[in-house]
């Protein structure tokens, strides 16, 4: 669960970690996963789903912002989130060729939960994100099925595994085994403690460039690479009241975290950050034309920017720390960070 206090990796942090050191330290946030793994058939893939709150997301949207740090990606739903600054479905992470399947599954789930969609109101903007796991996974086999997405939604909980699980099963990061990572921080504001958390799907970077706490880390097994390929999906959540514009600005700060761990945001990398707040859901239907809302003062955003940079950095390192050495398609073996450290 995140990096523990006893972990051999020591990151300097200004902010206190949450109880689990996971994005689910934010009240109401849940994460569900399905891992698909069959070594004989070179299947190393899966799906991870983030639920921003425990209610009906279509009827109670969450304010959100997006930062397309580098747009080499095939996600669905990002344009409307940028335009309307709201999220109205669970957030799905999977592999590149699973986007269509996940989109269909999520659409069907939302239709079952909301009989008014497409009848008495508009359609639904399903949010599906992806990274390419083809280095280890038989991606051409398109092994993700709609029932796997539904299962991930149904098993969503406030505790979950990290590393090579769910959508992260076949991911490679900085030449090492990547995957799912998460962390959280406690942010004090006006005498109250709030939480900011992150979950990442790490699949980016160049072998030999990894930096942890400012120190460069590489292994003899790693061959130098000339270009950065891959992607990372970063989801940042908080229970601090914030509007969409503020959340987009918070999402931008994930780029600082990527620089800290050694990424230079290469041409072929799809680096996307999504930030949401579940403090004040926005009703899809309203009896009044004007609704009242609280929000963070812009003068306090520096605190949020710093906490974001810290929590995303740790989530990335956590994705590496929890992953295990994996041999995938075409006999490709990718070593774990823990094995390299040993």
């Amino acid at each position: 669960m995140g990096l523990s206090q006893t972990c051999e990796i020591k990151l300097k942090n200004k902010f206190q970690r949450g109880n689990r050191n996971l994005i689910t330290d934010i009240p109401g946030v849940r994460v569900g996963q399905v891992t698909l793994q069959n070594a004989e058939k070179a299947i190393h893939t899966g799906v991870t789903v983030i639920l921003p709150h425990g209610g009906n997301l279509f009827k109670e949207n969450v304010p959100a912002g997006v930062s397309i740090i580098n747009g080499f990606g095939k996600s669905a739903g990002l344009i409307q989130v940028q335009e309307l600054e709201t999220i109205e479905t669970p957030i799905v992470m999977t592999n590149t060729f699973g986007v269509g399947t996940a989109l269909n599954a999520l659409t069907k789930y939302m239709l079952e939960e909301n009989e008014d969609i497409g009848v008495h109101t508009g359609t639904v903007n399903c949010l599906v994100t992806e990274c390419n796991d083809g280095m280890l996974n038989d991606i051409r086999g398109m092994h993700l099925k709609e029932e796997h997405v539904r299962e991930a939604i149904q098993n969503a909980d406030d505790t979950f595994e990290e590393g090579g699980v769910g959508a992260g099963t076949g991911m490679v990061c900085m030449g090492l085994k990547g995957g799912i990572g998460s962390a959280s921080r406690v942010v004090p504001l006006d005498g109250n403690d709030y939480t900011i958390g992150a979950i990442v799907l790490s699949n980016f970077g160049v072998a030999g460039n990894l930096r942890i706490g400012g120190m460069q880390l590489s292994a003899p097994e790693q061959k130098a690479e000339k270009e950065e390929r891959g992607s990372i999906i970063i989801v940042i959540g908080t229970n601090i009241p914030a509007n969409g514009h503020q959340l987009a600005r918070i999402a931008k700060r994930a780029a600082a975290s990527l620089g800290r761990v050694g990424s230079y945001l290469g041409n072929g990398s799809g680096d996307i950050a999504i930030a949401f707040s579940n403090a004040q859901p926005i009703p899809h239907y309203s009896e009044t034309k004007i609704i009242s809302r609280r929000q963070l003062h812009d003068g306090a955003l520096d605190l949020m920017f710093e906490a974001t940079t810290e929590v995303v950095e740790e989530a990335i390192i956590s994705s590496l720390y929890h992953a295990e050495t994996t041999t995938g398609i075409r006999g490709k073996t990718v070593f774990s960070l823990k094995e390299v450290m040993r």
Side-chain angles (χ1 to χ4, degrees):
M1 297 183 183
L3 294 179
S4 69
Q5 300 290 352
T6 58
C7 173
E8 57 263 47
I9 295 175
K10 302 298 183 183
L11 293 176
K12 295 180 180 178
N13 54 293
K14 174 178 177 178
F15 299 88
Q16 177 185 336
R17 293 182 172 97
N19 291 332
R20 303 181 188 89
N21 201 18
L22 297 172
I23 192 173
T24 48
D25 285 326
I26 304 165
V29 176
R30 292 175 294 147
V31 171
Q33 304 189 98
V34 169
T35 299
L36 304 175
Q37 202 155 31
N38 184 321
E40 291 184 2
K41 297 182 179 180
I43 299 172
H44 301 277
T45 193
V47 59
T48 299
V49 178
I50 303 101
L51 278 66
H53 65 61
N56 186 312
L57 280 159
F58 185 75
K59 290 185 170 63
E60 299 288 338
N61 306 167
V62 290
V66 173
S67 176
I68 310 298
I69 303 168
N70 195 63
F72 204 108
K74 289 81 179 172
S75 298
L78 294 174
I79 293 175
Q80 184 168 311
V81 176
Q82 285 184 309
E83 183 70 20
L84 301 185
E85 298 181 338
T86 58
I87 291 173
E88 58 187 22
T89 72
I91 305 163
V92 177
M93 296 174 170
T94 188
N95 78 56
T96 309
F97 288 170
V99 171
T101 299
L103 190 61
N104 283 340
L106 189 52
T107 300
K108 292 175 183 177
Y109 169 79
M110 296 303 295
L111 292 177
E112 290 174 13
E113 295 291 309
N114 301 274
E115 295 181 353
D116 50 340
I117 292 177
V119 180
H120 305 298
T121 188
T123 55
V124 62
N125 182 55
C126 294
L127 187 52
V128 181
T129 62
E130 56 80 30
C131 291
N132 185 341
D133 60 13
M135 186 175 291
L136 291 173
N137 174 49
D138 171 30
I139 194 168
R140 291 175 60 92
M142 301 180 69
H143 300 287
L144 183 76
K145 306 301 179 187
E146 290 185 19
E147 56 264 31
H148 299 138
V149 181
R150 296 293 295 266
E151 183 182 345
I153 295 172
Q154 291 164 358
N155 71 25
D157 203 347
D158 55 13
T159 58
F160 59 94
E161 293 184 64
E162 298 174 82
V165 294
T169 305
M171 301 301 171
V172 179
C173 181
M174 292 288 185
L176 300 169
K177 185 67 187 74
I180 296 294
S182 190
S184 68
R185 293 293 186 270
V186 177
V187 180
L189 293 168
D190 296 337
N192 296 308
D193 285 341
Y194 295 88
T195 303
I196 183 167
I199 182 171
V200 304
L201 176 60
S202 67
N203 191 56
F204 68 95
V206 174
N209 275 20
L210 176 64
R211 286 169 172 78
I212 299 178
M215 300 290 290
Q216 188 166 356
L217 179 66
S218 60
E221 295 88 351
Q222 289 185 302
K223 296 181 180 179
E225 297 174 359
K226 295 183 179 179
E227 59 185 26
E228 182 166 344
R229 296 175 295 177
S231 299
I232 183 169
I233 302 298
I234 301 164
V235 176
I236 302 157
T238 186
N239 61 344
I240 297 171
N243 63 34
H245 178 68
Q246 292 171 329
L247 290 162
R249 297 185 68 198
I250 288 167
K252 283 183 182 179
R253 272 58 193 182
S257 309
L258 290 169
R260 282 187 178 187
V261 299
S263 172
Y264 54 79
L265 314 177
N267 171 64
S269 185
D271 309 313
I272 297 169
I274 302 164
F276 69 84
S277 167
N278 67 5
Q280 297 178 102
I282 301 170
H284 181 80
Y285 298 107
S286 176
E287 295 180 358
T288 63
K289 292 182 172 59
I290 297 175
I291 58 175
S292 298
R293 302 184 61 75
R294 297 179 302 133
Q295 72 175 52
L296 186 70
H297 189 279
D298 280 354
L301 278 172
D302 275 349
L303 193 65
M304 293 295 295
F305 294 162
E306 188 173 9
T308 295
T309 303
E310 187 175 293
V311 78
V312 173
E313 178 188 17
E314 181 167 317
I316 294 168
I317 301 302
S318 189
S319 74
L320 294 163
Y321 179 78
H322 288 93
E324 301 293 337
T325 296
T326 301
T327 299
I329 195 166
R330 293 176 287 276
K332 173 71 174 179
T333 297
V334 179
F335 293 93
S336 69
L337 174 60
K338 284 183 286 190
E339 188 164 340
V340 167
M341 292 174 65
R342 285 194 290 268

